[in-house]
Amino acid sequence: MFYWLADFSSHVSFLNVFRYITFRTGGAIVTALVFVFLFGGPIIDLLRLKQGKGQPIRSDGPASHLITKKGTPTMGGLMILSGLLVSTILWANPTNPYVWIVLGVTLSFGLIGFYDDYLKVTKQQSDTGFAGRTRLIAEAIIAIVAVTALSRLGNGPIATSLVFPFFKELVFNLGWGFFLVGTFVIVGAGNAVNLTDGLDGLAIVPVMIAAASFGFISYLAGNAVFSEYLQIHYVAGTGELAVLCGAVIGASLGFLWFNAPPASIFMGDTGSLSLGGMLGATAVCSCSRRSR
């Protein structure tokens, strides 16, 4: 939404700053961070009230966890999703299709994770969540829809090709294989973060590092000058994903404040699946092709 302020730069020259992705990325980081700081406490109190006993702790884990972690609420991913959603809507270019595709994957994966967390909390058993096969099928369907949308943004055979950084002439047209590879990346990334999630802050720090890396790559790939200089394929529009990645970093930093030992809340599958799906979708977006 703030992006549209640049349209009034002819009247107020300062507003031209909203055209710059780097400025809006910084704004997204701060906005998401402040949002989670302000609303994190009330969200935790509400989840603790609704969940009662909190997330069930695995009996095969360290004995100390049965005492120190018991009663800690889960679904902390709602804090992260709220922060990154508000921040992205405020700072990203609302006409950019890549932003909406990645947001769609993020929120859809978050919904699957939320249902999984809900089942675990209501049944109070760590192994009674969403059936693994059913969950993978649902994730694959979402990923296929996203990859299909990305392929339609491309232009010709290059839209479904695999390229390598610094080797612009090394291009492999995957054809239908692009849909399989793209789906595997998104689903794999979602479950990779889900498997990493465990101890306090264990998953959120790698997510922030990965989001910063993908945001930087997206910015370079979406910049015609930098991509030409670095000999990487130019993907028009993906630079805007840096704003979304910035929102993820800000929201994750805010969440880490509450998740650092001793954790006041766990992110749960709501957070881990959605963040993993976001990273996977961003990676695929940065590799899909559009003409200049």
Side-chain angles (χ1 to χ4, degrees), residues 39-260:
F39 296 100
I43 291 176
I44 292 175
D45 293 337
L46 178 62
L47 290 175
R48 184 179 288 113
L49 178 64
K50 295 293 184 180
Q51 294 179 14
K53 296 181 180 180
Q55 175 173 303
I57 306 301
R58 294 175 61 95
S59 59
D60 55 351
S64 59
H65 286 193
L66 297 175
I67 300 175
T68 59
K69 307 299 181 184
K70 188 176 182 179
T72 304
T74 186
M75 298 184 186
L78 293 175
M79 297 165 54
I80 304 173
L81 287 175
S82 299
L84 75 87
L85 180 62
V86 170
S87 184
T88 300
I89 291 176
L90 287 176
W91 291 99
N93 180 356
T95 64
N96 186 287
Y98 286 109
V99 171
W100 292 110
I101 291 174
V102 175
L103 268 182
V105 172
T106 304
L107 296 178
S108 299
F109 271 49
L111 185 61
I112 295 174
F114 177 84
Y115 182 63
D116 193 51
D117 287 334
Y118 174 79
L119 292 178
K120 291 178 181 178
V121 169
T122 54
K123 296 181 180 180
Q124 279 300 301
Q125 293 182 7
S126 61
D127 56 351
T128 55
F130 211 163
R133 181 177 299 178
T134 305
R135 191 174 77 172
L136 285 175
I137 292 174
E139 293 169 4
I141 292 174
I142 295 169
I144 290 173
V145 172
V147 173
T148 301
L150 289 173
S151 67
R152 293 182 179 275
L153 290 176
N155 188 25
I158 194 69
T160 56
S161 296
L162 176 66
V163 299
F164 295 87
F166 313 115
F167 298 94
K168 292 188 69 174
E169 304 304 321
L170 193 59
V171 179
F172 294 97
N173 184 11
L174 299 178
W176 286 103
F178 173 77
F179 297 91
L180 296 177
V181 173
T183 300
F184 176 79
V185 169
I186 295 175
V187 175
N191 286 277
V193 176
N194 184 238
L195 291 173
T196 304
D197 188 29
L199 294 177
D200 307 346
L202 183 62
I204 199 64
V205 175
V207 164
M208 287 190 288
I209 296 173
S213 301
F214 281 125
F216 184 63
I217 293 171
S218 298
Y219 175 73
L220 294 178
N223 187 292
V225 177
F226 289 151
S227 61
E228 181 67 26
Y229 179 76
L230 295 173
Q231 291 295 296
I232 59 179
H233 277 265
Y234 172 58
V235 189
T238 57
E240 204 66 31
L241 291 175
V243 179
L244 192 152
C245 289
V248 171
I249 294 171
S252 299
L253 279 172
F255 174 76
L256 183 61
W257 176 263
F258 299 100
N259 187 236

